[in-house]
Amino acid sequence: MKKLATLFQDSYNELKHVRTVTTIAMFASIGIILGSLTVQIGDFIKIGFSSIANQFVYYLFGPATGCFYGGALDILKYLIKPTGAFFPGWTVGAMTAGVLYGCFFYKRKLTIVRVLAAELCVSVVCNMILGTLWLDMMYGKGFFVLLPMRVIKNLVMWPVNSFLFYTMTMAMEQTGIFRLIRKSA
């Protein structure tokens, strides 16, 4: 439990650095741009890759910073391009994803197994359970009616998202980009 508290405290301390905030802003802008390339499949399924830019923030700066970043970015995306009514549940889900990814990645050796586990955990908790609950609350569709198509979509995207994040992170680690970001922050 002490390790978890230290992890959150270290992550919170990251927010005290101006370079951290500017780096987060850069990744947020990349995430917003990638979010505009989202493909809508029906009324309740979206496929996009903006989460990769977000995962870099969680990897570099941890769960506390990830929680703040996820919530702020969700609200910012809504202000830039509103899609329907604002619902705070989506913000809670984004913040939860930031905490979960941050706990899996921050100050830990990145392995494909760790990435697969983190992606599965976030997919189940945030996308399948919370996301389906939010859709049920917003539109009155049955939770168990929406759940099967959301489970299938997330199971299909699980290895794709994991592989993309892992390979891009390893490439950026090998080129030294993340080392520069960590050193300057």
Side-chain angles (χ1 to χ4, degrees):
M1 195 65 169
K2 188 175 180 179
K3 279 185 175 182
L4 190 61
T6 303
L7 190 72
F8 274 85
Q9 184 62 46
D10 290 349
S11 176
Y12 174 76
N13 289 335
E14 296 274 5
L15 282 172
K16 296 178 181 178
H17 303 285
V18 174
R19 286 192 183 258
T20 298
V21 176
T22 56
T23 302
I24 288 171
M26 178 194 66
F27 281 118
S29 64
I30 293 169
I32 289 169
I33 291 167
L34 288 174
S36 69
L37 304 175
T38 299
V39 177
Q40 183 83 26
I41 301 172
D43 292 333
F44 305 107
I45 302 287
K46 289 188 220 174
I47 296 177
F49 298 100
S50 65
S51 63
I52 293 171
N54 301 343
Q55 288 173 329
F56 290 150
V57 171
Y58 312 142
Y59 172 67
L60 292 168
F61 304 114
T65 301
C67 181
F68 167 76
Y69 171 83
L73 185 61
D74 183 72
I75 293 168
L76 183 63
K77 281 181 177 179
Y78 180 78
L79 291 173
I80 291 172
K81 186 181 176 191
T83 53
F86 178 77
F87 184 70
W90 297 112
T91 305
V92 170
M95 294 169 77
T96 304
V99 169
L100 291 173
Y101 279 125
C103 287
F104 272 96
F105 298 151
Y106 186 57
K107 293 188 174 183
R108 299 180 194 274
K109 180 174 174 34
L110 197 68
T111 63
I112 190 66
V113 173
R114 182 177 302 281
V115 173
L116 284 166
E119 190 67 39
L120 181 62
C121 181
V122 170
S123 290
V124 170
V125 172
C126 297
N127 301 346
M128 293 180 205
I129 295 172
L130 290 178
T132 306
L133 178 63
W134 308 146
L135 287 170
D136 178 38
M137 290 171 72
M138 288 176 69
Y139 300 112
K141 304 290 182 188
F143 180 89
F144 292 105
V145 171
L146 297 171
L147 189 62
M149 68 178 147
R150 294 185 56 81
V151 167
I152 291 168
K153 178 254 182 180
N154 280 282
L155 288 177
V156 168
M157 293 305 294
W158 170 46
V160 174
N161 289 339
S162 299
F163 178 75
L164 282 172
F165 173 70
Y166 181 76
T167 54
M168 290 179 75
T169 303
M170 289 295 102
M172 291 177 81
E173 283 288 2
Q174 288 177 349
T175 60
I177 293 171
F178 286 156
R179 188 171 38 254
L180 287 172
I181 291 171
R182 284 187 192 104
K183 183 185 278 189
S184 64

